[in-house]
C-alpha cells in the first residue's frame, strides 16, 4: 500500500537511514538495548571516576538521567510515531510535559534538599 | 487509511472534515490522556525524589534490596532481574509497533500474531513484577526498629560484614504468644501478624554472638551504609522496640518507611497500567481476529492502543532509572 512513504526513516539526524519502517523499528530496538545495557553495566560496576559530584548530584546519576531521556526520546519519536506527526502536535505534547515536569522536579527537589539541611543543622537529632 | 491526510487536499478548513494537527480524533484524545497520565506519574516520582533528597544520607540502597534472581537462591545479583524486565517490556513494545505497521499494510494475520506476542510480553512483565513484590514483602534477613523509626540491620563481622538473617542467630525462647484477634481478646482490639521471633529472642541472640554488628541506615561519603562498632551496636539494639520482617505499608526491613510506600505505589501504579494495557490488548486482539478492523478498512484502533502501550514502556524507563539505578 506504500504506507512506508509516510514514515520518516532516518535517525540520528540522518546518520542512519533505514529502507523500511520495520527495519527502522529493529534498528531502534538495537539502539535502546545498547543504552539499557550501558546503564546496567554502569550500575553494576559503579566506576569510581563517576562518583564525583557535579551540580549536587553524582556524575553517574547525571549519566543515568541523560540516557533515560535519550531512551524516552526514541520511544516517543519512533515507537509512538511522533516523528511523523505535525510540529503542532509534537510541541503541544513535549513542551507542556517538559515545562511542567522540569518545574515540579525543580521545586520538589530543592524543597527536599532544604528540609534535609534544616534537619542536619538544627538542634533536633535523629539518634534514638 | 489511518495515516495523515495532507491538509492541502482540503479546500476550506471551515467546511468540516479537516483534522486539527493532522491527527484523528481518537489519536489526539489518546495523546491528551498520555500527557495527563504522564503528569500523574510525575507527581509520584517527584514525591519520591523529594523524600529521597530529604533523607539523602539514610535512604536504602537499591542494590541491597533488589538482588534476587529466579532459580538463583542466595546469589547476589543486583539489577539483573529488573534489567531483564526492562528488556521484556521494550521487546513487547517492539512487537506492538510491528503490529501497528502490519495494520498500516492491512495484514490481518500479522497484526494478530504481533498482538499476541505483545500480550505475552506484557503478561510476563506483570508476572515478574508480582515475583519482585513477593520477595520484597517476604524479606530475607529481618531487622529491628527503634522507637524513632530507625531500622537496625545485622551483619556478621566473621563473614566480611555480610548481612546475617535473624533466624541464624536468635536464641529461641519457648514461650508462646498468640496473635490478638477480635475473637480471642478484647473484641475491639486486633493486631497484625506477629513476627517469627520476639524482641527478647533477637536481643539474647545478639548478646550471645559477639561477632554480630549493626548496620545503620546512615550512608558514608563512599555511598556505603555505616557499620557500627560492637559498643555502639549494643546501645542501638537496646533501643529497639520492634522486630521487622519483610515489608508492608507501615514498616519495612530495608530502611526508611517511605521507601516501601513509594515502591508499592509507584511500581504498583505502573503494574496496574501494564495490567490494563494487557486487558485492552486482548480486547483489540479479539477484534482483530473477528475482522472488525478489516471491515472498517483501517487498523487505527491498534495504533491507539499501541500509543498507550508505548507510554507504559516509557514510564517504566523512568521508574527503572529512579528506583533501581540512581
Amino acid at each position: 500500500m506504500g504506507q512506508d512513504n509516510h514514515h520518516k526513516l532516518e535517525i540520528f539526524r540522518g546518520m542512519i537511514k533505514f529502507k523500511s519502517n520495520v527495519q527502522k523499528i529493529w534498528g531502534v530496538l538495537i539502539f535502546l538495548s545498547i543504552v539499557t545495557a550501558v546503564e546496567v553495566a554502569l550500575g553494576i560496576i559503579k566506576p569510581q571516576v563517576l562518583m564525583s559530584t557535579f551540580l549536587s548530584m553524582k556524575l553517574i546519576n547525571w549519566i543515568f538521567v541523560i540516557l533515560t531521556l535519550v531512551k524516552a526520546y526514541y520511544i516517543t519519536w519512533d515507537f509512538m510515531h511522533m516523528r511523523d506527526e505535525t510540529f503542532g502536535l509534537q510541541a503541544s505534547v513535549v513542551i507542556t510535559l517538559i515545562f511542567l515536569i522540569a518545574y515540579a522536579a525543580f521545586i520538589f527537589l530543592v524543597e527536599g534538599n532544604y528540609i534535609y539541611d534544616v534537619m542536619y543543622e538544627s538542634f533536633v537529632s535523629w539518634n534514638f | 487509511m489511518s495515516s495523515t491526510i495532507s491538509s492541502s487536499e482540503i479546500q476550506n478548513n471551515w467546511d468540516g472534515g479537516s483534522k486539527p494537527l493532522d491527527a484523528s480524533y481518537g489519536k489526539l484524545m489518546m495523546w491528551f490522556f498520555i500527557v495527563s497520565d504522564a503528569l500523574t506519574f510525575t507527581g509520584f516520582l517527584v514525591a519520591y525524589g523529594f523524600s529521597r533528597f530529604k533523607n539523602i544520607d539514610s535512604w536504602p540502597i537499591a542494590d541491597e534490596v533488589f538482588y534476587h534472581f529466579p532459580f538463583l537462591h542466595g546469589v547476589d545479583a543486583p539489577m539483573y532481574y529488573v534489567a531483564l524486565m526492562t528488556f521484556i517490556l521494550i521487546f513487547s513494545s517492539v512487537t506492538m509497533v510491528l503490529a501497528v505497521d502490519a495494520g498500516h499494510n492491512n495484514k490481518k494475520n500479522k497484526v494478530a500474531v504481533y498482538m499476541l506476542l505483545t500480550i505475552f510480553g506484557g503478561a510476563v512483565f506483570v508476572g515478574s513484577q508480582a515475583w519482585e513484590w513477593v520477595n520484597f514483602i517476604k524479606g530475607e534477613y529481618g531487622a529491628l526498629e527503634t522507637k524513632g523509626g530507625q531500622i537496625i540491620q545485622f551483619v556478621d563481622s566473621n563473614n566480611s560484614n555480610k548481612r546475617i538473617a535473624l533466624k541464624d542467630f536468635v536464641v529461641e525462647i519457648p514461650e508462646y504468644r498468640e496473635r490478638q484477634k477480635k475473637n480471642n481478646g478484647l473484641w475491639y482490639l486486633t493486631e497484625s501478624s506477629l513476627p517469627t521471633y520476639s524482641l527478647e529472642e533477637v536481643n539474647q541472640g545478639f548478646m550471645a554472638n559477639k561477632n554480630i554488628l549493626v548496620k545503620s541506615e546512615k550512608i558514608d561519603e563512599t555511598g556505603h551504609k555505616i557499620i557500627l562498632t560492637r559498643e555502639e551496636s549494643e546501645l542501638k539494639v537496646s533501643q529497639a522496640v520492634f522486630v521487622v520482617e519483610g515489608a508492608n505499608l507501615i514498616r519495612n526491613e530495608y530502611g526508611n518507611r517511605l521507601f516501601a510506600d513509594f515502591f508499592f505505589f509507584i511500581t504498583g501504579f505502573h503494574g496496574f497500567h501494564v495490567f490494563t494495557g494487557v486487558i485492552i490488548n486482548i480486547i483489540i486482539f479479539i477484534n482483530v481476529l473477528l475482522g472488525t478492523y478489516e471491515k472498517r478498512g483501517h487498523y487505527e484502533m491498534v495504533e491507539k492502543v499501541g500509543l498507550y502501550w508505548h507510554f507504559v514502556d516509557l514510564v517504566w524507563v523512568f521508574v527503572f532509572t529512579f528506583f533501581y539505578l540512581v
Side-chain angles (χ1 to χ4, degrees):
Chain A
M1 298 223 100
Q3 282 301 315
D4 277 353
N5 302 337
H6 295 287
H7 294 293
K8 292 176 184 151
L9 298 174
E10 300 176 347
I11 60 170
F12 306 136
R13 297 195 163 272
M15 259 175 64
I16 299 180
K17 294 188 172 76
F18 295 105
K19 286 193 189 70
S20 69
N21 195 36
V22 174
Q23 205 186 25
K24 185 180 84 167
I25 293 164
W26 290 110
V28 172
L29 169 70
I30 290 167
F31 176 68
L32 291 179
S33 304
I34 291 170
V35 173
T36 308
V38 168
E39 281 185 336
V40 171
L42 282 177
I44 289 167
I45 301 166
K46 290 199 168 77
Q48 211 54 51
V49 198
L50 300 176
M51 288 301 165
S52 51
T53 311
F54 175 72
L55 285 179
S56 69
M57 201 160 76
K58 278 183 198 153
L59 216 49
I60 192 167
N61 290 350
W62 280 111
I63 293 175
F64 287 146
V65 171
I66 291 165
L67 289 180
T68 304
L69 293 176
V70 168
K71 281 205 283 189
Y73 173 81
Y74 282 100
I75 289 174
T76 320
W77 246 244
D78 289 312
F79 287 176
M80 295 166 102
H81 299 300
M82 200 50 142
R83 206 185 282 280
D84 306 325
E85 303 290 354
T86 59
F87 175 74
L89 182 53
Q90 290 174 350
S92 350
V93 171
V94 174
I95 294 176
T96 311
L97 283 182
I98 286 186
F99 170 70
L100 288 174
I101 292 172
Y103 178 54
F106 173 73
I107 55 173
F108 272 83
L109 296 187
V110 168
E111 184 69 10
N113 201 32
Y114 169 73
I115 293 176
Y116 170 77
D117 285 342
V118 168
M119 309 234 278
Y120 187 76
E121 286 160 11
S122 71
F123 297 112
V124 184
S125 86
W126 189 38
N127 59 358
F128 55 97
Chain B
M1 294 306 299
S2 59
S3 285
T4 53
I5 298 167
S6 167
S7 49
S8 61
E9 290 167 13
I10 295 157
Q11 251 86 68
N12 189 340
N13 276 334
W14 300 102
D15 288 343
S18 72
K19 296 170 178 172
L21 302 171
D22 274 352
S24 71
Y25 175 80
K27 262 165 82 175
L28 217 49
M29 290 303 116
M30 185 51 94
W31 275 111
F32 264 100
F33 169 72
I34 285 171
V35 169
S36 68
D37 213 22
L39 291 173
T40 309
F41 275 106
T42 306
F44 269 129
L45 283 172
V46 293
Y48 169 79
F50 170 83
S51 302
R52 193 165 165 172
F53 270 48
K54 185 178 153 190
N55 302 289
I56 196 77
D57 60 351
S58 62
W59 199 252
I61 298 167
D63 286 357
E64 295 176 2
V65 180
F66 309 104
Y67 51 82
H68 299 89
F69 201 89
F71 310 113
L72 295 177
H73 293 288
V75 177
D76 187 40
M79 299 252 301
Y80 291 99
Y81 191 59
V82 267
L84 180 71
M85 280 165 72
T86 307
F87 278 119
I88 290 169
L89 204 57
I90 290 180
F91 201 79
S92 83
S93 233
V94 166
T95 52
M96 185 78 234
V97 75
L98 288 171
V100 173
D101 187 75
H104 279 310
N105 297 316
N106 276 329
K107 287 176 181 151
K108 180 182 161 187
N109 290 336
K110 255 188 158 179
V111 179
V113 169
Y114 284 134
M115 286 299 292
L116 194 63
L117 284 173
T118 310
I119 292 164
F120 179 71
V124 171
F125 182 86
V126 176
S128 307
Q129 224 168 24
W131 189 79
E132 183 106 328
W133 272 48
V134 166
N135 283 319
F136 189 82
I137 291 170
K138 263 188 359 201
E140 193 171 331
Y141 296 106
L144 297 183
E145 193 186 83
T146 65
K147 201 179 170 191
Q150 287 183 358
I151 287 292
I152 299 173
Q153 298 175 334
F154 295 100
V155 294
D156 187 354
S157 62
N158 288 348
N159 185 18
S160 57
N161 282 343
K162 285 221 171 75
R163 291 285 302 278
I164 181 166
L166 294 184
K167 67 172 187 298
D168 294 333
F169 69 86
V170 291
V171 174
E172 291 199 38
I173 305 166
E175 51 151 1
Y176 183 68
R177 165 135 143 52
E178 203 171 321
R179 175 180 174 188
Q180 180 159 15
K181 291 180 190 155
K182 275 185 179 175
N183 59 1
N184 61 4
L186 294 170
W187 60 271
Y188 55 88
L189 287 180
T190 53
E191 62 185 358
S192 53
S193 62
L194 294 169
T196 324
Y197 306 106
S198 70
L199 194 58
E200 189 53 32
E201 288 173 319
V202 178
N203 260 326
Q204 288 196 14
F206 175 74
M207 284 307 174
N209 295 285
K210 297 289 177 202
N211 57 319
I212 292 173
L213 299 177
V214 163
K215 191 180 201 178
S216 72
E217 280 188 55
K218 291 280 176 212
I219 297 172
D220 62 14
E221 294 79 36
T222 57
H224 296 97
K225 296 276 176 188
I226 295 170
I227 290 166
L228 304 180
T229 62
R230 180 67 194 179
E231 290 73 47
E232 289 170 335
S233 299
E234 285 177 8
L235 179 67
K236 209 72 192 167
V237 170
S238 71
Q239 295 169 337
V241 290
F242 276 113
V243 177
V244 184
E245 284 174 319
N248 53 44
L249 284 173
I250 298 171
R251 47 180 71 89
N252 66 83
E253 62 167 67
Y254 309 105
N256 197 307
R257 291 177 168 193
L258 288 172
F259 177 72
D261 297 347
F262 278 115
F263 175 78
F264 288 132
F265 275 93
I266 295 177
T267 65
F269 196 54
H270 177 264
F272 177 66
H273 274 74
V274 182
F275 176 72
T276 48
V278 169
I279 300 290
I280 299 168
N281 274 342
I282 289 173
I283 295 169
I284 302 295
F285 172 67
I286 292 169
N287 270 321
V288 170
L289 289 187
L290 293 175
T292 310
Y293 307 124
E294 201 162 37
K295 273 182 227 145
R296 200 176 285 177
H298 61 78
Y299 282 80
E300 199 189 81
M301 216 51 208
V302 177
E303 212 172 326
K304 281 183 273 194
V305 73
L307 281 178
Y308 178 66
W309 191 253
H310 298 310
F311 169 71
V312 170
D313 180 25
L314 186 64
V315 169
W316 179 254
V317 166
F318 283 90
V319 173
F320 173 67
T321 301
F322 295 117
F323 231 93
Y324 296 94
L325 278 177
V326 170

